[in-house]
Amino acid sequence: MKATQPVSLRTVDSDMLDAPLLSRERLNCDWRSAARGPALVLVADDDPMILLLAQQALDPRFYTVVTAENGRQALDLFNDKTPDLVLCDVMMPDINGFDLCKKIRLQPAGEHVPIIMLTGLNDAESIDQAFSAGATDFCEKPVNWELLPYKLNYVLRAAATFTELQVSEERYSLVARGANDGIWDWDYKNDRIYYSPRWKSMLGFEDHAIGSDPQEWISRIHADDRARVIAELEAHKAARTEHFECEYRVENAEGNYRWMMCRGLAIRGDDGVACRMTGSQTDITLRKQVEEKLAFDAVHDALTGLPNRILFQDRLSHCIELSSRRENYSFALLYLDLNRFKLVNDTLGHLLGDQLLIEVASRMRQVVRRGDTLSRLGGDEFVILCEDIEDITVATGLADRIQQRLLEPVDLDGQKVVIGCGIGITESSIGYQQPEDMLRDADAAMYRAKARTGSAYEIFDKTMHQKAMNVLQLEADFRVALENGQFELHYQPIVRIEGDKISGFEALVRWDHPKLGLMLPDEFLDMAADSRLIVPLGRWVLREACRQMQEWKRQWPEEASDWTISVNLSAPELAQADLIEALDDILHATGLAPTCLKLEITETSLIKNASHALRTMKALRDRGIRLSIDDFGTGYSSFNYLHQFPFDELKIDRTFISELDDREDKREIVNAIVSLAHNLGMTVVAEGSASAAIYENLRDAACECAQGFSIMEPRRADRITQSVADDVDRTEITGIGSIT
Ligand code: C2E
Ligand code: MG
Ligand code: MG
């Protein structure tokens, strides 16, 4: 009889069919998702009644039933349809149930398919046989049709869970293998750990070489990391952390340490107590090495391998902090600059320059004390931090040793080079708060050392510190002064000796400091030049001096017609690319004729960048602006050098002039300078004509002009205006005596 053959429902026990199947809806085949549709059940029995009853019992919404009347047919159907479950009778013609079961198990799709065997009641032998044939479960005959769907659902769910578990296990082991991770599983009840073979091989051990004792792991952890790992494990075990994660070093079979990243998750009972923890172990040694290298490179100099500025400043900050907390803690800082490094670099090339720095670094490394920090700040500048010293002799002793070592010749590719150094030392006793301040002062002391002997050390003391602080304060004040108009110009007349008439004025800047009073240029110009603040100041001086001279010319068109205004031009100003442009602008704005402006330049300004200076000076001359060489006699005083530059005027420094009246030798020098200057076509101005006698000597020396306190000290414009106005009233403008 074919399973599909209609059978009168009468033949089926009506109770059985109509009885409400207990919570049938709950059997909503919860073992599989609705998307996959009803489960396919293969029922094999040679009794057509059983086949029919099975069909009736299984709700078609959840089960599709295919039936077979014998074992052969069942096997064919199995291969054809691959059902989700097989329900088969034991006694069947041709292939009996046990053989069918065995055969299905051999099919590729049959390995895990649930097979339920219909056995006779209490037929223990058949049951045994069924299980050994590979059956999943059995169902006693006569079948309780009402309960069959429950059984099937249960078996199907178990099978699905089994498959899922298998897939998940497979996936997990694939992931673990793919990630090259080791697996561990700590059973807290028995205090044993399962270490996967990969876990062991990561440490260079064979599978059998490591047992299941937790100490196999813990004892291999680096002593510095062990306590931390244990604490992390405990924290997670006690549910204080959401998961266990730790990086640590572990000793491998060769006795080397490898960096591992370990992750784990505890499995807890209903009471929240962890019964086990399972996790993975990843080798992160390479990552750690890269990280360490990057971290090292960030704070070390690539060329010498010494700590760089960042690391040095960090250590210095630490020392400063320590010394502020501990009374007896002193330290010193040595700032070192090589003497001829630039020369070596320029003449022998950068490669040998680098070699020299490496050699210097290595020599210094040999002489510093253990625990001192030797660092390269950049270029040829090195610093040493001498921590915890009893007194300064530790630092000076080290400076001596370094200097000796660095005076030994260095062989650079067969070329012997002797390289000295200047060293500046500063001590914590000054009471520094900031590392930059200490570095700055050591640097300043180093410059002093170099300036003094070229190769020595200098200790930065409190007076130097105070001076440095004053300079800093002055610089800050200077910026405010520029904005607030605290600068003023004083004018000193320059007199043409022949006729004793004013030929012009020199503009001299003064700073009316709100606290320090009226300051002379010597007190602030060096600082202004160093900070380049002299440029904006110089621009203001030029504009103001030109404006004032033009005002005088308007006031006394006749008397002042050939007056000139002399303005000092510093080296940084001369180096400014837009100097010419600025001057054009000033002359245009003030209306002063270029020929009425004289710029005073010192020799030292020329030396700094001779070719650029020459170009600028030619451009100035082309505009008609006059040029004076200032303070002549104090610098190189070389006429050979001088004649290359287009000067109109030479100003003899007052050191030659001040004793002219009673020093024959000075008279000779002045005479010589005047005649040499005349030979070069320059007029001569004598500075510092401090007495009438000197003035007369200058006349004798054929010096064209004089400037000095005996004629008039520098004065504010209004006072000059007043004096000149008085003279004009007397219809005479003279240099000596009358303008006072
Ligand atoms: P300098 O250009 O050689 O100016 C002459 C200096 O000699 C002035 O000093 C002047 O007061 C002083 N002096 C003039 N006659 C006598 C005298 O008979 N006896 C003595 N003992 N001194 C005399 P000051 O004003 O203190 O200026 C000093 C220097 O500052 C100037 O020397 C100049 O190099 C510089 N300087 C002044 N003003 C400026 C400026 O606006 N810009 C620049 N760049 N430098 C300036
Ligand atoms: Mg001058
Ligand atoms: Mg001068």
Side-chain angles (χ1 to χ4, degrees), residues 506-508 566-569 600-602 630-631 651 687 707:
E506 178 172 5
L508 297 159
S566 297
V567 179
N568 295 284
L569 199 72
E600 299 192 358
I601 299 167
T602 60
D630 202 356
D631 301 346
K651 294 185 85 173
E687 289 179 342
Q707 175 184 357

Side-chain angles (χ1 to χ4, degrees), residues 340-350 352-353 412 415 417:
R340 277 173 287 278
F341 180 69
K342 197 176 161 352
L343 192 73
V344 171
N345 236 1
D346 292 350
T347 52
L348 301 180
H350 287 247
L352 290 184
L412 294 176
Q415 182 98 19
V417 178

Side-chain angles (χ1 to χ4, degrees), residues 17 164 198 253 353 359 376 406 422 438 453 455 681 718:
L17 289 174
E164 264 167 33
R198 175 69 196 133
E359 173 61 19
R376 178 174 172 231
L406 294 194
M438 197 162 182
T453 54
S455 186
D718 54 349

